[in-house]
Amino acid sequence: MRRLLLLSNMRPKRMQKLKLAANSGQNPGFDFLQECWNDDPALQIVIKKLLAKFPQWGIAVVDGVLIEREE
């Protein structure tokens, strides 16, 4: 129960950062995306759309897991 409350408090801040990334094209960072992906399944849809919009970030979803392309 406490975890759900914590996630619901974090979601608006995370959504704001994801929306900023969508509007600016600035990669919010793999670690941030992975944290959102793992902690909050509701944000997975938003992240999938971002990754489709910005393939140049080099991040993809493979078998339900975020992966970062190595340089």
Side-chain angles (χ1 to χ4, degrees):
M1 182 72 167
R2 178 174 241 179
R3 179 167 165 74
L4 288 176
L5 182 59
L6 180 63
L7 289 177
S8 66
N9 289 338
M10 294 173 69
R11 185 176 292 157
K13 291 178 184 177
R14 287 176 168 175
M15 276 299 300
Q16 184 177 12
K17 189 168 180 175
L18 292 171
K19 285 180 183 177
L20 180 64
N23 291 332
S24 69
Q26 290 287 327
N27 184 341
F30 179 77
D31 292 338
F32 172 76
L33 292 173
Q34 189 170 44
E35 181 180 296
C36 293
W37 182 271
N38 292 334
D39 287 350
D40 194 342
L43 295 179
Q44 290 180 2
I45 295 167
V46 176
I47 293 169
K48 284 180 183 178
K49 289 179 181 178
L50 271 176
L51 299 180
K53 186 175 180 180
F54 301 106
Q56 65 270 27
W57 290 355
I59 302 170
V61 179
V62 178
D63 295 330
V65 177
L66 281 184
I67 61 164
E68 189 171 28
R69 181 178 60 221
E70 295 188 19
E71 296 296 317

